[in-house]
Amino acid sequence: MARATLQSSDLCRGLDESAIDQVLNIGKVIHFAAQELIFSQGQKADAVYLPCSGSQLVERSANTGQRQVLAFLRQGDYLGLNTSDQFLYSAHTLEPSHMLRFASHDFYDLASGLPVLRDNVGRISNQVLARALDHLFAIGQKRAHERLAFLLWQLWSRQAASGRSDKITLSMRRTDIGDYLGLTLETTSRAFSRLRSDAVIATQGRNLVQILDESALCALADVK
Amino acid sequence: MARATLQSSDLCRGLDESAIDQVLNIGKVIHFAAQELIFSQGQKADAVYLPCSGSQLVERSANTGQRQVLAFLRQGDYLGLNTSDQFLYSAHTLEPSHMLRFASHDFYDLASGLPVLRDNVGRISNQVLARALDHLFAIGQKRAHERLAFLLWQLWSRQAASGRSDKITLSMRRTDIGDYLGLTLETTSRAFSRLRSDAVIATQGRNLVQILDESALCALADVK
DNA sequence: CGCATGTTTGACTGTAGTCAAGATGTGTGG
DNA sequence: CCACACATCTTGACTACAGTCAAACATGCG
């Protein structure tokens, strides 16, 4: 599983088999239960993680109890790559997950000897920033149901990269979505209802969303 | 001016004089008038800039006319460092400004031969991301006057790095502040009034803010 | 089946947005 | 140097969107 994750990752794009072996060599697959803490905000940033299976959540919380969810992760994403010496956020799993873990010093030592890997890390940093800017725009400028459309489009387009389907399975709660979008869970729920009644999406159970009108979703999300 | 900017920059931290000369060699100081465009969103990202004087604004706008201000810059900041092949945002000056400009290929060629410079670029990327996450948290979770406190604290603590003073000169309009904080200019203005009546700040003219109660400002901004 | 957890909906409140008028700066030309 | 005109900012009145509190409704697990 670890090898498959690496081979299909942007991180190892352009690396030959032997280089991938070197990367694999310093990593270790760890299993986490659902809702298990991976690391905490403020903790020494001593590791880099690659999700191999399951889904994870990245969040920042304040003394005041407020919480901002920063990202939802899955296979193909990265965790802990762009940190100073302390983690600026916490991460925990949503579903049971396998994560490929690298000790930071091992990882950066290896990267400094593999220019391709090093460049990939830089490229990924840029992607992470680009995503943060999209997120910022959505939260700062859009209305509730548009923000939800933005998230659904994000989730959908990222999973579409693997297998084409008009369905999304949500592994997070409404509260998590709300905290990602800067909304309460009630407003989030109403946003779901609105997209449903506007026939943009349909839902089966709590966690399965079907996209009925892709172009409407894009328009609301203001993408493409 | 360019040399002084570089010497005091995080970008050139740890570089010796000859290395700084090399950097200086590939750069060129350009002067911009107030409110002049530096580059546009979508344009090929062919340059990196360092503000030497004046102040600048980074923004993203949508087809719908909505605008999110992403950052206010001044000496000590960076512009265009963390981009893919196209700029993901536009930048223009607020005041007349001198900017040190590097062609991207020159800059990255040089960086690949100077490990210290390369590492500094990575560190700066992380700072940029860290700031974006702070921004995200503020917009997603705080109320209007708290968001303004957050911005004032940011501006104040960054200028405090140079010379200690309890005053901040704002080079941007209320609209710009509103678009940075995800508020309208009217709400922004009311937030100023509120901080004023709560004796957190005082204002002299439109653009000069005096910080009366630093601890209240920090508490509202939820920092430190 | 029953309970716990999570979600939806309803009624009401509060914060920020909109529209509009008035005040305060800022720059220019007489 | 003053007067005027334009920009920008502030304030007010009203509206709309999202937040709060609360109850009813699902869903899933033991």
Side-chain angles (χ1 to χ4, degrees):
Chain A
M1 170 167 7
R3 171 172 288 275
T5 300
L6 279 181
Q7 280 172 335
S8 64
S9 69
D10 286 342
L11 189 67
C12 292
R13 171 147 314 164
L15 287 184
D16 57 28
E17 284 300 308
S18 81
I20 290 186
D21 282 336
Q22 283 184 271
V23 177
L24 212 48
N25 238 352
I26 60 168
K28 192 176 160 187
V29 175
I30 306 185
H31 184 262
F32 292 90
Q35 302 292 333
E36 191 179 347
L37 187 70
I38 302 171
F39 57 73
S40 273
Q41 190 173 338
Q43 184 181 320
K44 190 164 182 341
D46 55 357
V48 173
Y49 296 85
L50 267 78
C52 300
S53 74
S55 61
Q56 303 82 34
L57 176 154
V58 182
E59 70 188 3
R60 171 181 292 194
S61 32
N63 339 324
T64 51
Q66 294 162 102
R67 180 178 86 129
Q68 177 67 45
V69 171
L70 302 172
F72 297 113
L73 306 181
R74 56 194 302 267
Q75 206 209 33
D77 293 316
Y78 308 92
L79 179 56
L81 258 185
N82 311 101
T83 43
S84 28
D85 42 87
Q86 294 191 332
F87 286 118
L88 301 172
Y89 38 73
S90 304
H92 66 81
T93 56
L94 291 167
E95 303 167 303
S97 305
H98 290 275
M99 307 281 288
L100 186 53
R101 180 188 197 276
F102 303 97
S104 294
H105 59 269
D106 288 343
F107 185 80
Y108 291 110
D109 283 356
L110 182 59
S112 68
L114 288 172
V116 175
L117 179 59
R118 205 178 57 210
D119 289 352
N120 285 345
V121 169
R123 226 186 315 283
I124 289 168
S125 291
N126 292 349
Q127 284 171 20
V128 170
L129 181 65
R131 229 187 258 172
L133 298 184
D134 289 343
H135 193 178
L136 202 48
F137 187 93
I139 291 193
Q141 303 300 323
K142 290 182 207 293
R143 305 191 17 215
H145 67 287
E146 296 169 331
R147 296 188 206 179
L148 179 58
F150 163 75
L151 172 62
L152 293 177
W153 184 85
Q154 263 195 344
L155 294 174
W156 178 73
S157 63
R158 276 205 280 150
Q159 88 167 23
S162 18
R164 208 101 197 142
S165 159
D166 61 347
K167 296 200 173 63
I168 310 169
T169 302
L170 304 174
S171 55
M172 67 297 274
R173 312 188 199 312
R174 295 290 184 269
T175 313
D176 298 326
I177 296 179
D179 286 347
Y180 180 77
L181 299 175
L183 302 168
T184 59
L185 79 158
E186 293 95 331
T187 300
T188 305
S189 177
R190 282 185 237 274
F192 269 100
S193 302
R194 172 151 184 192
L195 294 185
R196 225 180 282 128
S197 72
D198 290 352
V200 178
I201 60 169
T203 52
Q204 288 145 42
R206 292 158 162 171
N207 297 324
L208 189 66
V209 175
Q210 182 182 6
I211 298 185
L212 298 178
D213 188 342
E214 185 185 326
S215 65
L217 191 76
C218 290
L220 287 170
D222 194 29
V223 287
K224 258 199 300 195
Chain B
M1 171 168 4
R3 171 172 289 276
T5 299
L6 280 181
Q7 280 172 336
S8 63
S9 69
D10 285 342
L11 189 67
C12 293
R13 171 146 316 162
L15 289 182
D16 57 28
E17 283 300 307
S18 82
I20 291 185
D21 282 336
Q22 285 183 269
V23 176
L24 212 46
N25 240 352
I26 60 167
K28 192 176 161 187
V29 175
I30 306 184
H31 184 262
F32 292 89
Q35 303 292 335
E36 190 178 348
L37 187 69
I38 302 169
F39 58 74
S40 273
Q41 190 173 337
Q43 185 180 321
K44 188 162 182 344
D46 55 357
V48 173
Y49 297 85
L50 268 77
C52 300
S53 73
S55 59
Q56 304 81 33
L57 176 152
V58 183
E59 69 188 5
R60 170 180 293 194
S61 31
N63 338 324
T64 52
Q66 295 162 101
R67 180 178 86 129
Q68 177 66 46
V69 172
L70 301 172
F72 297 113
L73 306 180
R74 58 193 300 266
Q75 205 209 34
D77 292 315
Y78 308 92
L79 179 57
L81 258 186
N82 312 101
T83 43
S84 28
D85 41 271
Q86 295 191 332
F87 286 117
L88 301 172
Y89 37 73
S90 304
H92 65 80
T93 57
L94 291 167
E95 304 168 303
S97 304
H98 291 276
M99 307 281 287
L100 187 51
R101 180 188 198 277
F102 302 97
S104 294
H105 59 269
D106 288 345
F107 185 79
Y108 291 110
D109 283 356
L110 182 59
S112 68
L114 288 171
V116 174
L117 179 59
R118 206 177 57 209
D119 289 353
N120 284 345
V121 169
R123 226 186 314 283
I124 288 168
S125 291
N126 292 347
Q127 283 170 20
V128 170
L129 180 66
R131 230 187 257 172
L133 297 184
D134 289 343
H135 193 179
L136 202 49
F137 187 94
I139 290 192
Q141 304 299 324
K142 290 183 208 292
R143 305 192 16 214
H145 67 284
E146 296 170 330
R147 296 188 205 178
L148 179 58
F150 164 75
L151 172 62
L152 293 176
W153 184 85
Q154 263 194 343
L155 295 173
W156 178 74
S157 62
R158 278 206 279 152
Q159 88 166 23
S162 18
R164 207 101 197 142
S165 160
D166 61 347
K167 297 198 173 64
I168 310 169
T169 302
L170 304 174
S171 55
M172 67 297 275
R173 310 188 201 312
R174 295 289 185 267
T175 311
D176 298 326
I177 296 179
D179 286 346
Y180 180 76
L181 300 175
L183 301 169
T184 59
L185 79 159
E186 294 96 329
T187 301
T188 305
S189 177
R190 283 185 237 274
F192 269 100
S193 302
R194 172 150 184 193
L195 293 185
R196 224 181 281 127
S197 72
D198 291 353
V200 178
I201 60 169
T203 53
Q204 287 146 42
R206 293 160 163 171
N207 297 324
L208 190 65
V209 175
Q210 182 182 6
I211 298 185
L212 299 177
D213 188 341
E214 185 185 325
S215 64
L217 191 75
C218 291
L220 286 170
D222 193 28
V223 287
K224 259 199 298 192

